[in-house]
Amino acid sequence: MNFAPLPSVDVAAVPSDGFVLDVREDNEWAAGHVEGALHIPMSDFVARFGELTEAADDGQRVHVMCRVGGRSAQVTQYLVQQGIDAVNIDGGMLAWDGAGRPMVTESGNPAFVL
């Protein structure tokens, strides 16, 4: 079977007001995440798919994020198959942090990538 190449973007290409879906686990999210991102762990994703379709405007591009890009690639592939405009963020949170893009925590502690 031939698969189209997975759509992906560099962290610098994610607009500051872009819709980010974070599929990392709860402890990774708590350590630091993109402000305003939607958090649905990959392990819960199919069961919680409706939360994404409610949160994302019709036709809005979904930027999928994990730690380095492996889990988000799988979720991106699933979303594309569902007809959603989704792109994998190359390098994930490690690249986001490395590019100096802002991260937040709910605890108020300094954000880091777990």
Side-chain angles (χ1 to χ4, degrees):
M1 293 199 313
N2 289 336
F3 291 103
L6 188 70
S8 61
V9 293
D10 187 81
V11 292
V14 179
S16 56
D17 62 347
F19 186 89
V20 175
L21 169 66
D22 190 320
V23 298
R24 298 174 303 149
E25 295 303 314
D26 291 340
N27 60 335
E28 295 173 286
W29 168 264
H33 55 267
V34 177
E35 188 169 11
L38 175 65
H39 178 228
I40 304 176
M42 183 176 161
S43 54
D44 298 341
F45 190 74
V46 174
R48 293 175 58 189
F49 180 68
E51 292 177 42
L52 170 67
T53 55
E54 282 176 28
D57 296 328
D58 277 344
Q60 181 178 26
R61 172 160 283 182
V62 177
H63 300 84
V64 189
M65 170 84 81
C66 68
R67 184 170 183 267
V68 292
R71 287 170 287 179
S72 55
Q74 294 175 55
V75 172
T76 299
Q77 188 168 30
Y78 175 79
L79 293 175
V80 168
Q81 288 168 347
Q82 308 304 312
I84 292 173
D85 179 12
V87 293
N88 189 30
I89 299 175
D90 279 337
M93 284 299 293
L94 288 176
W96 186 273
D97 188 29
R101 300 285 306 255
M103 298 188 304
V104 296
T105 62
E106 272 137 28
S107 63
N109 292 328
F112 67 97
V113 179
L114 184 66

XYZ file of all heavy atoms in Angstrom:
848
model
N 0.847 -1.190 0.000
C 0.000 0.000 0.000
C 0.883 1.240 0.000
O 1.896 1.274 0.678
C -0.900 0.012 1.240
C -1.930 -1.103 1.200
S -3.349 -0.877 2.291
C -2.645 -0.400 3.832
N 0.464 2.225 -0.751
C 1.187 3.488 -0.779
C 0.487 4.505 0.107
O -0.719 4.681 0.010
C 1.252 4.053 -2.207
C 2.187 3.243 -3.079
O 3.086 2.591 -2.569
N 1.965 3.281 -4.369
N 1.259 5.138 0.953
C 0.711 6.187 1.801
C 1.289 7.518 1.344
O 2.475 7.594 1.019
C 1.067 5.950 3.275
C 0.359 4.771 3.867
C 1.017 3.575 4.049
C -0.968 4.858 4.222
C 0.368 2.478 4.599
C -1.629 3.770 4.770
C -0.965 2.577 4.958
N 0.458 8.520 1.334
C 0.959 9.858 1.030
C 1.914 10.251 2.151
O 1.753 9.815 3.286
C -0.202 10.844 0.960
N 2.917 11.078 1.836
C 3.805 11.517 2.913
C 3.000 12.244 3.991
O 2.039 12.958 3.681
C 4.792 12.457 2.236
C 4.407 12.545 0.807
C 3.243 11.633 0.554
N 3.382 12.026 5.230
C 2.665 12.639 6.342
C 2.885 14.149 6.323
O 4.028 14.602 6.271
C 3.187 12.053 7.650
C 2.407 12.440 8.892
C 1.043 11.761 8.880
C 3.174 12.060 10.128
N 1.805 14.928 6.346
C 2.005 16.384 6.375
C 2.659 16.799 7.692
O 2.218 16.388 8.758
C 0.593 16.955 6.245
C -0.352 15.840 6.498
C 0.401 14.550 6.352
N 3.715 17.570 7.599
C 4.403 18.008 8.808
C 4.904 19.434 8.623
O 5.071 19.907 7.503
C 5.556 17.071 9.151
O 6.500 17.055 8.117
N 5.126 20.108 9.755
C 5.622 21.481 9.739
C 6.720 21.633 10.787
O 6.749 20.919 11.782
C 4.507 22.520 10.044
C 3.471 22.557 8.938
C 3.856 22.275 11.385
N 7.596 22.575 10.526
C 8.624 22.963 11.484
C 7.959 23.781 12.599
O 6.961 24.466 12.359
C 9.675 23.811 10.753
C 10.853 24.111 11.646
O 11.733 23.247 11.777
O 10.877 25.216 12.224
N 8.527 23.728 13.803
C 7.930 24.488 14.913
C 7.805 25.974 14.583
O 6.835 26.611 14.993
C 8.703 24.315 16.244
C 8.574 22.900 16.765
C 10.151 24.720 16.120
N 8.749 26.504 13.816
C 8.703 27.931 13.481
C 7.508 28.274 12.601
O 7.080 29.422 12.536
C 9.997 28.345 12.790
N 6.950 27.257 11.915
C 5.832 27.496 11.000
C 4.471 27.414 11.686
O 3.449 27.665 11.056
C 5.888 26.491 9.848
N 4.465 27.078 12.982
C 3.188 27.010 13.710
C 2.810 28.430 14.119
O 3.548 29.083 14.851
C 3.300 26.111 14.961
C 1.968 26.073 15.715
C 3.740 24.706 14.567
N 1.657 28.938 13.636
C 1.292 30.313 14.000
C 1.068 30.437 15.500
O 0.649 29.479 16.147
C 0.000 30.577 13.230
C -0.386 29.309 12.563
C 0.680 28.284 12.778
N 1.340 31.616 16.051
C 1.184 31.805 17.496
C -0.260 31.581 17.931
O -0.512 31.207 19.071
C 1.668 33.194 17.917
O 0.970 34.180 17.187
N -1.209 31.785 17.009
C -2.615 31.548 17.349
C -3.108 30.231 16.739
O -4.300 29.988 16.649
C -3.492 32.708 16.881
C -3.455 32.888 15.365
O -2.580 32.292 14.698
O -4.294 33.638 14.844
N -2.161 29.385 16.297
C -2.525 28.116 15.681
C -3.153 27.163 16.681
O -2.911 27.249 17.888
N -3.949 26.239 16.172
C -4.595 25.241 17.017
C -3.622 24.082 17.218
O -3.227 23.427 16.262
C -5.888 24.749 16.346
C -6.691 23.818 17.205
C -7.632 24.310 18.078
C -6.494 22.455 17.129
C -8.375 23.449 18.877
C -7.223 21.580 17.923
C -8.173 22.075 18.804
N -3.221 23.854 18.482
C -2.263 22.792 18.800
C -2.971 21.706 19.606
O -3.652 21.991 20.589
C -1.050 23.341 19.596
C -0.121 22.208 20.030
C -0.288 24.374 18.765
N -2.808 20.466 19.153
C -3.306 19.293 19.865
C -2.105 18.570 20.451
O -1.217 18.137 19.720
C -4.054 18.364 18.900
C -4.408 16.978 19.440
C -5.427 17.073 20.568
C -4.920 16.089 18.323
N -2.063 18.449 21.776
C -0.950 17.791 22.472
C -1.404 16.390 22.862
O -2.380 16.239 23.595
C -0.588 18.616 23.717
C 0.700 18.170 24.384
O 0.948 16.953 24.469
O 1.452 19.047 24.841
N -0.715 15.362 22.347
C -1.132 13.978 22.593
C -0.221 13.269 23.598
O -0.265 12.050 23.728
C -1.226 13.170 21.270
C -2.275 13.781 20.351
C 0.115 13.078 20.554
N 0.580 14.031 24.341
C 1.451 13.425 25.353
C 0.638 13.021 26.580
O -0.508 13.410 26.751
C 2.552 14.412 25.751
C 3.457 14.772 24.581
C 4.453 15.856 24.966
N 3.749 17.037 25.442
C 4.217 17.893 26.352
N 5.413 17.713 26.882
N 3.505 18.939 26.721
N 1.268 12.253 27.464
C 0.590 11.794 28.671
C 0.494 12.929 29.698
O 1.155 13.957 29.579
C 1.319 10.577 29.248
C 1.270 9.359 28.331
C -0.160 8.922 27.969
O -1.021 8.848 28.862
O -0.411 8.654 26.780
N -0.315 12.710 30.724
C -0.617 13.762 31.707
C 0.633 14.331 32.376
O 0.736 15.542 32.575
C -1.575 13.228 32.785
C -2.977 12.962 32.231
O -3.327 13.526 31.172
O -3.721 12.201 32.873
N 1.584 13.454 32.757
C 2.783 13.950 33.449
C 3.636 14.817 32.526
O 4.241 15.799 32.958
C 3.605 12.799 34.039
C 4.086 11.806 32.992
O 3.496 11.660 31.924
N 5.161 11.098 33.297
N 3.670 14.477 31.228
C 4.431 15.283 30.269
C 3.771 16.655 30.087
O 4.441 17.683 30.029
C 4.491 14.575 28.918
C 5.267 13.261 28.938
C 5.150 12.543 27.617
O 4.076 11.978 27.322
O 6.134 12.571 26.860
N 2.437 16.654 29.982
C 1.668 17.887 29.844
C 1.899 18.796 31.051
O 2.111 20.004 30.911
C 0.192 17.526 29.705
C -0.766 18.657 29.823
C -1.444 19.051 30.946
C -1.216 19.552 28.775
N -2.262 20.112 30.664
C -2.139 20.441 29.355
C -0.902 19.659 27.428
C -2.773 21.433 28.608
C -1.530 20.650 26.685
C -2.443 21.529 27.273
N 1.876 18.194 32.259
C 2.025 18.985 33.491
C 3.383 19.673 33.560
O 3.496 20.777 34.096
C 1.812 18.088 34.718
N 4.418 19.038 32.989
C 5.773 19.611 33.044
C 5.884 20.883 32.217
O 6.631 21.798 32.562
C 6.792 18.581 32.567
N 5.129 20.947 31.104
C 5.163 22.133 30.255
C 4.460 21.861 28.950
O 4.568 20.764 28.398
N 3.693 22.858 28.489
C 2.944 22.693 27.241
C 2.732 24.047 26.569
O 3.031 25.082 27.143
C 1.592 22.004 27.501
C 0.748 22.689 28.521
N 0.767 22.349 29.854
C -0.126 23.717 28.414
C -0.066 23.137 30.528
N -0.616 23.981 29.681
N 2.225 23.979 25.355
C 1.927 25.185 24.594
C 0.653 25.806 25.165
O -0.356 25.121 25.342
C 1.722 24.838 23.105
C 1.339 26.075 22.306
C 2.979 24.194 22.534
N 0.701 27.096 25.450
C -0.474 27.776 25.991
C -1.636 27.676 25.012
O -1.470 27.895 23.818
C -0.154 29.248 26.274
C -1.270 29.947 27.013
C -0.879 31.312 27.548
O 0.201 31.814 27.180
O -1.657 31.866 28.322
N -2.805 27.308 25.536
C -3.998 27.233 24.715
C -4.153 25.925 23.965
O -5.141 25.726 23.258
N -3.172 25.013 24.107
C -3.251 23.723 23.401
C -4.377 22.873 23.982
O -4.735 23.003 25.151
C -1.931 22.970 23.509
N -4.921 21.995 23.148
C -5.885 20.996 23.598
C -5.097 19.741 23.956
O -4.274 19.285 23.166
C -6.891 20.692 22.480
C -7.893 19.572 22.765
C -8.831 19.951 23.911
C -8.697 19.249 21.510
N -5.342 19.208 25.156
C -4.590 18.028 25.612
C -5.491 16.794 25.599
O -6.453 16.713 26.353
C -4.066 18.271 27.031
C -3.324 17.097 27.597
N -3.564 16.596 28.849
C -2.349 16.325 27.059
C -2.769 15.565 29.062
N -2.023 15.379 27.988
N -5.181 15.869 24.706
C -5.846 14.558 24.691
C -4.732 13.519 24.529
O -4.164 13.395 23.445
C -6.861 14.420 23.538
C -7.903 15.537 23.573
C -7.540 13.042 23.609
C -8.894 15.507 22.400
N -4.385 12.780 25.597
C -3.313 11.789 25.478
C -3.615 10.782 24.369
O -4.772 10.394 24.174
C -3.293 11.109 26.846
C -3.904 12.111 27.780
C -4.922 12.850 26.961
N -2.563 10.357 23.656
C -2.742 9.402 22.571
C -3.482 8.155 23.050
O -4.309 7.602 22.332
C -1.384 9.024 21.988
C -1.491 8.084 20.801
S 0.132 7.779 20.101
C -0.240 6.283 19.195
N -3.218 7.729 24.293
C -3.847 6.516 24.816
C -5.364 6.661 24.946
O -6.083 5.663 24.962
C -3.227 6.155 26.172
O -3.298 7.260 27.055
N -5.864 7.899 25.027
C -7.310 8.161 25.159
C -7.904 8.702 23.871
O -9.084 9.044 23.823
C -7.570 9.236 26.230
C -7.115 8.830 27.616
O -6.943 7.618 27.844
O -6.926 9.731 28.444
N -7.076 8.840 22.824
C -7.466 9.699 21.708
C -8.734 9.273 20.980
O -9.628 10.078 20.767
C -6.322 9.860 20.700
C -6.631 10.914 19.708
C -6.570 12.240 20.072
C -7.078 10.600 18.449
C -6.915 13.235 19.187
C -7.427 11.582 17.549
C -7.343 12.908 17.925
N -8.827 7.998 20.616
C -9.992 7.583 19.836
C -11.270 7.769 20.653
O -12.278 8.264 20.147
C -9.820 6.141 19.321
C -11.083 5.647 18.626
C -8.647 6.080 18.340
N -11.217 7.445 21.948
C -12.390 7.597 22.817
C -12.781 9.062 22.987
O -13.956 9.377 23.176
C -12.119 6.965 24.183
N -11.802 9.961 22.909
C -12.057 11.391 23.159
C -12.022 12.222 21.878
O -11.935 13.451 21.932
C -11.035 11.913 24.182
C -11.241 11.280 25.556
C -10.172 11.695 26.547
N -10.098 13.129 26.721
C -9.130 13.744 27.399
N -8.165 13.061 27.954
N -9.125 15.060 27.500
N -12.102 11.556 20.730
C -12.019 12.224 19.428
C -13.021 13.378 19.314
O -12.725 14.420 18.735
C -12.240 11.187 18.314
C -12.175 11.766 16.929
C -10.991 12.241 16.416
C -13.313 11.818 16.139
C -10.921 12.767 15.131
C -13.256 12.347 14.853
C -12.060 12.826 14.349
N -14.218 13.214 19.875
C -15.248 14.258 19.820
C -14.804 15.572 20.426
O -15.242 16.641 19.999
N -13.927 15.504 21.442
C -13.434 16.744 22.059
C -12.658 17.577 21.051
O -12.724 18.800 21.054
C -12.531 16.430 23.262
C -13.277 15.829 24.427
C -12.338 15.455 25.560
O -11.409 16.236 25.865
O -12.531 14.367 26.137
N -11.908 16.886 20.176
C -11.148 17.600 19.152
C -12.096 18.232 18.139
O -11.949 19.404 17.802
C -10.180 16.655 18.448
C -9.522 17.271 17.196
C -8.603 18.416 17.574
C -8.791 16.227 16.406
N -13.061 17.455 17.657
C -13.941 17.998 16.623
C -14.782 19.144 17.168
O -15.138 20.051 16.435
C -14.828 16.897 16.010
O -15.556 16.240 17.038
C -13.988 15.879 15.254
N -15.065 19.140 18.481
C -15.778 20.272 19.086
C -14.881 21.494 19.212
O -15.339 22.618 19.030
C -16.291 19.895 20.485
C -17.528 19.044 20.461
C -17.945 18.624 21.863
O -17.649 19.365 22.825
O -18.564 17.557 21.983
N -13.607 21.275 19.560
C -12.704 22.397 19.840
C -12.168 23.062 18.579
O -11.939 24.267 18.558
C -11.539 21.918 20.712
N -11.957 22.272 17.529
C -11.388 22.823 16.299
C -12.510 23.317 15.396
O -13.495 22.618 15.197
C -10.565 21.755 15.575
N -12.345 24.513 14.876
C -13.323 25.025 13.920
C -13.257 24.203 12.643
O -12.202 23.679 12.288
C -13.028 26.499 13.588
C -13.190 27.392 14.805
O -14.036 27.083 15.660
O -12.470 28.401 14.883
N -14.379 24.099 11.948
C -14.406 23.358 10.686
C -13.339 23.879 9.742
O -13.243 25.082 9.516
C -15.785 23.510 10.008
C -16.792 22.536 10.580
O -16.365 21.570 11.245
O -17.994 22.736 10.356
N -12.541 22.963 9.216
C -11.521 23.350 8.252
C -10.271 23.930 8.872
O -9.311 24.229 8.166
N -10.274 24.106 10.200
C -9.098 24.669 10.868
C -7.970 23.639 10.884
O -8.200 22.460 11.150
C -9.464 25.050 12.305
C -8.330 25.675 13.091
C -8.777 26.084 14.490
O -9.712 25.528 15.054
N -8.098 27.061 15.055
N -6.761 24.082 10.605
C -5.606 23.183 10.651
C -5.289 22.816 12.096
O -5.260 23.676 12.972
C -4.400 23.860 10.009
C -3.115 23.059 10.200
C -2.068 23.448 9.214
N -2.381 22.835 7.928
C -1.616 22.964 6.847
N -0.537 23.706 6.882
N -1.946 22.359 5.726
N -5.060 21.523 12.313
C -4.704 21.019 13.637
C -3.216 20.670 13.623
O -2.778 19.858 12.807
C -5.549 19.770 13.995
C -5.132 19.199 15.351
C -7.041 20.109 13.977
N -2.444 21.307 14.515
C -1.005 21.048 14.638
C -0.832 20.047 15.775
O -1.138 20.367 16.927
C -0.255 22.348 14.958
C -0.426 23.397 13.914
N -1.515 24.256 13.883
C 0.346 23.723 12.855
C -1.389 25.063 12.839
N -0.268 24.759 12.202
N -0.371 18.833 15.444
C -0.316 17.754 16.437
C 1.088 17.656 17.029
O 2.086 17.629 16.316
C -0.739 16.406 15.819
C -0.892 15.346 16.909
C -2.044 16.551 15.028
N 1.134 17.590 18.366
C 2.379 17.707 19.125
C 2.535 16.530 20.083
O 1.575 16.142 20.742
C 2.292 19.007 19.945
C 3.370 19.197 20.969
S 4.845 19.897 20.240
C 4.424 21.630 20.180
N 3.772 15.985 20.152
C 4.123 15.090 21.251
C 5.534 15.487 21.697
O 5.926 16.631 21.525
C 3.997 13.612 20.870
S 5.194 13.034 19.661
N 6.309 14.555 22.257
C 7.641 14.927 22.750
C 8.628 15.106 21.603
O 9.341 16.105 21.545
C 8.144 13.882 23.741
C 9.469 14.243 24.361
C 9.813 13.312 25.519
N 11.067 13.726 26.131
C 12.253 13.236 25.790
N 12.347 12.316 24.838
N 13.343 13.660 26.383
N 8.681 14.111 20.687
C 9.644 14.206 19.579
C 9.021 14.031 18.206
O 9.675 14.274 17.204
C 10.816 13.197 19.737
C 11.688 13.562 20.909
C 10.307 11.783 19.850
N 7.783 13.581 18.132
C 7.117 13.487 16.834
C 6.580 12.118 16.449
O 5.914 11.995 15.433
N 6.852 11.081 17.237
C 6.406 9.731 16.895
C 4.923 9.500 17.151
O 4.184 9.067 16.263
N 4.482 9.796 18.374
C 3.060 9.625 18.696
C 2.207 10.592 17.888
O 1.146 10.228 17.374
C 2.820 9.854 20.199
C 3.337 8.724 21.063
C 3.306 9.090 22.523
N 4.356 10.057 22.833
C 4.552 10.584 24.041
N 3.759 10.255 25.049
N 5.523 11.429 24.259
N 2.674 11.824 17.756
C 1.884 12.813 17.016
C 1.775 12.429 15.543
O 0.755 12.694 14.902
C 2.483 14.215 17.176
O 3.845 14.246 16.808
N 2.796 11.748 15.006
C 2.717 11.297 13.607
C 1.581 10.292 13.443
O 0.824 10.345 12.468
C 4.043 10.675 13.175
N 1.436 9.386 14.413
C 0.359 8.394 14.339
C -1.014 9.063 14.432
O -1.938 8.720 13.695
C 0.513 7.361 15.457
C 1.759 6.494 15.301
C 1.930 5.563 16.484
O 1.033 4.802 16.815
N 3.086 5.626 17.126
N -1.144 10.033 15.333
C -2.423 10.736 15.487
C -2.700 11.587 14.249
O -3.831 11.632 13.763
C -2.431 11.583 16.780
C -3.667 12.465 16.841
C -2.361 10.669 18.003
N -1.664 12.238 13.708
C -1.842 13.034 12.492
C -2.365 12.156 11.360
O -3.306 12.527 10.646
C -0.511 13.703 12.073
O -0.081 14.569 13.135
C -0.674 14.504 10.785
N -1.777 10.977 11.204
C -2.208 10.058 10.152
C -3.685 9.692 10.334
O -4.458 9.681 9.379
C -1.326 8.807 10.170
C -1.568 7.896 8.990
C -0.484 6.831 8.882
O 0.087 6.402 9.880
N -0.197 6.408 7.672
N -4.086 9.430 11.567
C -5.479 9.100 11.865
C -6.397 10.278 11.497
O -7.436 10.095 10.859
C -5.617 8.746 13.350
C -7.036 8.514 13.783
C -7.672 7.300 13.521
C -7.746 9.502 14.465
C -8.990 7.081 13.916
C -9.056 9.290 14.857
C -9.670 8.077 14.589
O -10.968 7.873 14.983
N -6.006 11.489 11.885
C -6.831 12.669 11.610
C -6.978 12.905 10.112
O -8.070 13.210 9.635
C -6.238 13.909 12.284
C -6.278 13.905 13.808
C -5.551 15.123 14.356
C -7.715 13.863 14.312
N -5.872 12.765 9.366
C -5.923 12.953 7.918
C -6.900 11.944 7.300
O -7.692 12.276 6.411
C -4.504 12.845 7.309
C -4.561 12.741 5.792
C -3.656 14.046 7.736
N -6.879 10.711 7.815
C -7.801 9.685 7.314
C -9.259 10.048 7.618
O -10.168 9.620 6.915
C -7.463 8.314 7.929
C -6.178 7.728 7.373
C -5.680 6.533 8.175
O -6.141 6.258 9.278
N -4.718 5.813 7.613
N -9.474 10.859 8.659
C -10.821 11.307 9.011
C -11.213 12.573 8.234
O -12.265 13.160 8.490
C -10.946 11.598 10.523
C -10.482 10.479 11.432
C -11.171 9.166 11.168
O -12.386 9.099 11.059
N -10.400 8.101 11.053
N -10.320 13.019 7.350
C -10.623 14.203 6.549
C -10.319 15.518 7.235
O -10.785 16.571 6.804
N -9.530 15.475 8.300
C -9.179 16.696 9.039
C -7.837 17.212 8.534
O -6.913 16.438 8.256
C -9.143 16.396 10.554
C -10.574 16.107 11.026
C -8.520 17.543 11.337
C -10.681 15.626 12.447
N -7.724 18.529 8.402
C -6.472 19.169 7.982
C -5.520 19.153 9.175
O -5.545 20.047 10.016
C -6.756 20.605 7.525
C -5.483 21.340 7.089
O -4.438 20.683 6.916
O -5.546 22.568 6.931
N -4.717 18.096 9.277
C -3.808 17.940 10.414
C -2.375 17.861 9.920
O -2.104 17.314 8.852
C -4.157 16.671 11.196
N -1.463 18.420 10.713
C -0.035 18.356 10.403
C 0.724 17.961 11.666
O 0.358 18.358 12.772
C 0.518 19.698 9.859
C -0.075 20.017 8.494
C 0.279 20.844 10.818
N 1.768 17.168 11.472
C 2.635 16.760 12.570
C 3.683 17.848 12.800
O 4.265 18.348 11.847
C 3.310 15.433 12.201
C 4.061 14.823 13.360
O 3.701 14.998 14.510
N 5.119 14.104 13.041
N 3.922 18.202 14.056
C 4.965 19.190 14.367
C 6.296 18.453 14.474
O 6.497 17.650 15.388
C 4.644 19.961 15.663
C 3.324 20.728 15.505
C 5.801 20.893 16.018
C 2.847 21.438 16.761
N 7.179 18.688 13.493
C 8.487 18.029 13.458
C 9.269 18.305 14.741
O 9.413 19.458 15.138
C 9.326 18.545 12.274
C 8.961 17.881 10.968
O 8.406 16.763 11.002
O 9.232 18.477 9.913
N 9.751 17.227 15.374
C 10.596 17.397 16.557
C 9.827 17.615 17.837
O 10.423 17.651 18.914
N 8.519 17.802 17.760
C 7.675 17.902 18.952
C 8.089 18.977 19.936
O 8.654 20.011 19.570
N 7.795 18.699 21.206
C 8.068 19.679 22.261
C 9.562 19.946 22.425
O 9.942 21.048 22.815
C 7.490 19.199 23.606
C 5.988 19.353 23.734
S 5.361 21.069 23.613
C 6.041 21.811 25.099
N 10.411 18.961 22.137
C 11.854 19.208 22.250
C 12.274 20.289 21.258
O 13.042 21.196 21.598
C 12.644 17.919 22.029
C 12.550 16.905 23.175
C 13.298 15.626 22.804
C 13.092 17.484 24.470
N 11.754 20.209 20.026
C 12.082 21.230 19.027
C 11.432 22.564 19.381
O 12.024 23.630 19.187
C 11.625 20.766 17.643
N 10.207 22.515 19.916
C 9.487 23.728 20.327
C 10.314 24.479 21.370
O 10.561 25.679 21.253
C 8.121 23.334 20.879
C 7.218 24.467 21.219
C 7.169 25.146 22.404
C 6.204 25.050 20.387
N 6.202 26.114 22.354
C 5.599 26.078 21.134
C 5.765 24.796 19.089
C 4.552 26.855 20.628
C 4.737 25.570 18.585
C 4.135 26.590 19.342
N 10.752 23.742 22.395
C 11.564 24.322 23.461
C 12.888 24.829 22.896
O 13.336 25.936 23.195
C 11.801 23.264 24.542
C 12.478 23.825 25.783
O 12.289 25.015 26.092
O 13.204 23.063 26.441
N 13.519 24.015 22.023
C 14.801 24.394 21.437
C 14.720 25.650 20.588
O 15.695 26.391 20.464
N 13.540 25.898 20.003
C 13.346 27.088 19.174
C 12.977 28.304 20.021
O 12.776 29.395 19.496
C 12.249 26.826 18.137
N 12.874 28.094 21.338
C 12.541 29.205 22.229
C 11.079 29.600 22.190
O 10.720 30.703 22.615
N 10.219 28.707 21.684
C 8.780 29.013 21.667
C 8.250 28.925 23.096
O 8.720 28.117 23.896
C 8.018 28.041 20.758
C 8.442 28.015 19.288
C 7.996 29.199 18.442
N 6.582 29.500 18.442
C 5.738 29.240 17.440
N 6.163 28.613 16.358
N 4.471 29.605 17.510
N 7.250 29.738 23.447
C 6.798 29.790 24.836
C 6.077 28.517 25.281
O 5.372 27.879 24.516
C 5.841 30.991 24.858
C 5.429 31.188 23.438
C 6.562 30.698 22.587
N 6.302 28.172 26.558
C 5.622 27.049 27.197
C 5.093 27.524 28.544
O 5.635 28.453 29.135
C 6.585 25.881 27.431
C 7.169 25.296 26.158
S 8.120 23.785 26.457
C 9.334 24.277 27.653
N 4.044 26.856 29.012
C 3.435 27.208 30.287
C 3.188 25.939 31.097
O 3.235 24.827 30.573
C 2.092 27.957 30.090
C 2.306 29.297 29.389
C 1.090 27.103 29.324
N 2.897 26.149 32.397
C 2.428 25.067 33.254
C 1.200 25.572 33.993
O 1.008 26.785 34.144
C 3.479 24.651 34.312
O 3.743 25.775 35.164
C 4.783 24.202 33.667
N 0.374 24.651 34.456
C -0.773 25.065 35.263
C -0.361 25.334 36.700
O -1.046 26.034 37.425
C -1.875 23.991 35.186
C -2.782 24.239 33.992
C -3.124 22.977 33.214
O -3.134 21.888 33.802
O -3.371 23.104 32.002
N 0.790 24.786 37.120
C 1.243 24.929 38.506
C 1.967 26.256 38.745
O 2.182 26.645 39.886
C 2.197 23.784 38.850
O 3.351 23.868 38.024
N 2.364 26.914 37.650
C 3.143 28.141 37.806
C 4.631 27.870 37.911
O 5.437 28.792 37.954
N 5.029 26.589 37.964
C 6.457 26.248 37.981
C 7.057 26.510 36.597
O 6.316 26.534 35.613
C 6.654 24.777 38.349
C 6.259 24.494 39.789
O 6.402 25.341 40.647
N 5.747 23.308 40.045
N 8.381 26.654 36.514
C 8.995 26.828 35.200
C 8.678 25.618 34.312
O 8.761 24.482 34.779
C 10.497 26.922 35.503
C 10.584 27.321 36.945
C 9.362 26.751 37.609
N 8.349 25.889 33.063
C 7.982 24.808 32.138
C 9.235 24.135 31.596
O 10.245 24.783 31.353
C 7.155 25.390 30.986
N 9.160 22.824 31.433
C 10.242 22.071 30.791
C 9.629 20.900 30.055
O 8.454 20.574 30.229
C 11.290 21.608 31.810
C 10.792 20.586 32.801
C 11.011 19.228 32.594
C 10.080 20.991 33.925
C 10.545 18.287 33.508
C 9.614 20.047 34.843
C 9.856 18.689 34.627
N 10.427 20.266 29.199
C 9.960 19.113 28.440
C 10.375 17.858 29.179
O 11.571 17.641 29.419
C 10.529 19.117 27.010
C 10.045 17.879 26.248
C 10.122 20.389 26.271
N 9.408 17.046 29.564
C 9.669 15.806 30.293
C 9.963 14.692 29.311
O 9.226 14.523 28.348
C 8.455 15.439 31.152
C 8.612 14.215 32.047
C 9.670 14.485 33.112
C 7.286 13.897 32.714
